Amino acid sequence: MTDAGLKVRPGACGCAEKMLPRRQVSTKHKGKTFICSGCDEGRRPRGAPQVSREPMEVPATRGSDLPGVGTGRDSTTSLSALHFQTFCRIARAVFDVPAAAVCIGSDPFGCIDLAASEDREAWAFATSAAGHLGIAGPMLWVEDTLDDAAWAGRSYVTGAPKLRFIASMPFGPAGIGRLSLFDTRARAASLDGFQRLEDLGTIAGQQVSLVKAARAAADREAEFRLLAETSTDTIVRGDLEGVRLYVSPSVKALLGYDPGDLVGRKAVELTHPDDLPAFWSLMNDVRAGRLDVAVSEQRQRHRDGSWVWMEASLRLTYDTETGQPNGYVASVRDIGRRKELEARLARLATSDELTGLPNRMLFAQRLLDAVDQTRRTGCCFAVLYMDIDGFKPVNDSLGHQAGDAVLREMATRVRSVLRTDDTVARLGGDEFAFILRVNRAGATDVAQRLIAVAERPFRYGDTDILVGLSIGIACAPDDGLHPDDLLTRADRALYRAKAAGKNTFCCFDEPPPRG
């Protein structure tokens, strides 16, 4: 079938050919207006042509009536006709027309590309929502507006710019945009023209997708940057060599540096010497891609010269194209208060809170270590068990505060007698125990000096407190090589010293010395 030289093939306005895949064309013979209305296979046999012999009415349409415009189905806040200025220039060149315009959704201002000879004011109708010209729905092709009653009386047809030809194509999701081509000369319809118009619509639709993708990417980047730059943790991006590529602003509060001071530098430059071996091992694993997630604790130097304990939770990153490791992202936080608490808890777990001496648990571990060393080397050591003579009357008469003062002062005095590799522990109450790296003779010498330092009065307020010491001694390996045996035998020797009159010492296998 032919209409003014246009052959409409069975199945559509070219859907079976090259022109418009899955499209059909209705032709308005008298007015030479062609409107692509889309396939309607559900209502006619597949392959049957759709040809309208009657003029088609084109209802006047507001921008909000257009598909996808103002309906909430597709936001245009990130899309503007200004994104299509170059596209309009290309479309005008492809069709060799004096004007090509794009309108986007409810944006009241479209864009238009005009030939240099054209008066821009005369084409104002094409650069706003009104530039849709009351067009809705699919492709429109008006060969000559003067031959079409729907267009012939319009001001831009009867007056400047004396419009004769219109071709228009929706594009983008739900037809959010519309490309319109204008000429002051009549132009015959052709399959090639339809194809080029639809191709331009496809390109414009792809541009919509690209613009939206770029804006979405920019929005995501802004969100990620907001998260990074407002996080109380410091976010670090580094390469496989450990060079920082990005440092978030919170590093100022953490280390006193501005981010720019640290970008391009390695974290190892600020790491405490004692923490370097573990840190080097971690970075070697990063470079080799042997880890995916890791947590590192280390001290780094603050700008003021102090050391800051920090924890870095690190994750390896990978190149999206090659899949190979390309760096890491770390979330870093100050753990100074946690380290202080851990150290205090460790002290409480192994030391006596009143005197600061090792407690029973730490003493037992050190006694076990001493026994192991003697078994390996044959060296001797001594265990001394000591309690304070006359301590209970101090508590009863002067109160526990006085007793505590005596215990603290006694701890100070006995420490002054010992060497750095000796151990003294408070086992509880007024009981103390010692591990001395000496033989029996050395142990009795230390015991005598301990008794001597305890004989001096203990000053509490206006009161001088007098107490004494009783000490039991067991020596390894002569008196055994089991920790419990040694402590038990030193305790038995202590009670022998008390039975001998107190303020003296006694070895496990010897009688107490005569005073």
Side-chain angles (χ1 to χ4, degrees), residues 12 60 274 397 410 415:
D274 293 346
S397 62
M410 184 66 76
R415 269 194 298 242

Side-chain angles (χ1 to χ4, degrees), residues 288-307:
R290 288 192 293 264
L291 57 77
D292 188 54
V293 177
V295 177
S296 169
E297 292 185 1
Q298 60 183 270
R299 286 159 288 182
Q300 290 201 0
R301 189 173 58 250
H302 193 278
R303 189 165 198 155
D304 63 11
S306 62
W307 294 101

Side-chain angles (χ1 to χ4, degrees), residues 104-417:
I104 298 293
S106 56
D107 186 352
F109 301 103
C111 73
I112 188 169
D113 187 74
L114 292 174
S117 59
E118 296 296 325
D119 179 7
R120 179 168 292 274
E121 291 186 6
W123 292 93
F125 68 91
T127 59
S128 68
H132 285 290
L133 309 176
I135 302 167
M139 179 193 294
L140 170 72
W141 188 292
V142 181
E143 291 184 313
D144 192 342
T145 57
L146 295 179
D147 292 339
D148 191 319
W151 300 94
R154 303 200 182 192
S155 60
Y156 39 80
V157 175
T158 59
K162 296 189 177 298
L163 183 66
R164 297 286 297 279
F165 165 74
I166 305 170
S168 183
M169 180 75 190
F171 62 80
I176 196 171
R178 193 160 196 104
L179 166 67
S180 298
L181 303 165
F182 307 101
D183 202 346
T184 54
R185 301 165 296 171
R187 298 179 68 116
S190 68
L191 290 174
D192 179 66
F194 287 151
Q195 183 65 65
R196 281 183 290 157
L197 186 57
E198 182 161 85
D199 287 346
L200 287 171
T202 299
I203 294 171
Q206 292 171 345
Q207 186 166 345
V208 169
S209 299
L210 289 173
V211 169
K212 289 193 170 186
R215 178 56 61 89
D219 290 344
R220 286 195 300 272
E221 179 185 357
E223 287 295 326
F224 288 137
R225 185 169 292 276
L226 178 66
L227 290 172
E229 296 190 351
T230 58
S231 172
T232 54
D233 286 0
T234 296
I235 308 301
V236 179
R237 168 66 169 154
D239 64 18
L240 292 177
E241 296 302 317
V243 177
R244 301 183 186 95
L245 306 176
Y246 169 82
V247 181
S248 66
S250 59
V251 75
K252 183 77 172 180
L254 181 66
L255 291 174
Y257 294 95
D258 291 322
D261 297 333
L262 300 179
V263 171
R265 298 173 60 186
K266 295 183 178 182
V268 70
E269 298 174 21
L270 300 177
T271 301
H272 192 284
D274 293 346
D275 301 327
L276 279 175
F279 186 66
W280 276 119
S281 176
L282 175 68
M283 293 313 299
N284 286 336
D285 287 341
V286 169
R287 279 190 288 273
R290 288 192 293 264
L291 57 77
D292 188 54
V293 177
V295 177
S296 169
E297 292 185 1
Q298 60 183 270
R299 286 159 288 182
Q300 290 201 0
R301 189 173 58 250
H302 193 278
R303 189 165 198 155
D304 63 11
S306 62
W307 294 101
V308 178
W309 269 109
M310 59 180 58
E311 178 186 77
S313 299
L314 181 146
R315 180 180 290 274
L316 200 62
T317 60
Y318 298 86
D319 187 281
T320 55
E321 295 183 359
T322 66
Q324 296 300 308
N326 63 359
Y328 68 89
V329 172
S331 177
V332 184
R333 64 180 59 185
D334 185 338
I335 57 170
R337 294 183 64 183
R338 191 184 85 191
K339 283 293 184 180
E340 289 176 1
L341 179 59
E342 288 175 354
R344 182 168 181 269
L345 291 174
R347 287 193 300 271
L348 291 175
T350 59
S351 65
D352 174 58
E353 190 171 6
L354 177 64
T355 64
L357 296 176
N359 61 10
R360 183 181 292 272
M361 183 176 72
L362 182 55
F363 179 82
Q365 180 59 52
R366 291 187 179 177
L367 181 56
L368 183 61
D369 293 342
V371 169
D372 289 342
Q373 183 179 11
T374 297
R375 284 174 175 162
R376 291 194 311 271
T377 66
C379 65
C380 60
F381 69 92
V383 175
L384 279 63
Y385 208 125
M386 176 190 90
D387 74 5
I388 302 175
D389 298 326
F391 181 75
K392 185 174 184 302
V394 173
N395 268 342
D396 292 344
S397 62
L398 299 177
H400 289 288
Q401 289 184 339
D404 289 347
V406 169
L407 290 171
R408 284 193 293 267
E409 177 62 20
M410 184 66 76
T412 300
R413 292 185 186 185
V414 299
R415 269 194 298 242
S416 69
V417 174

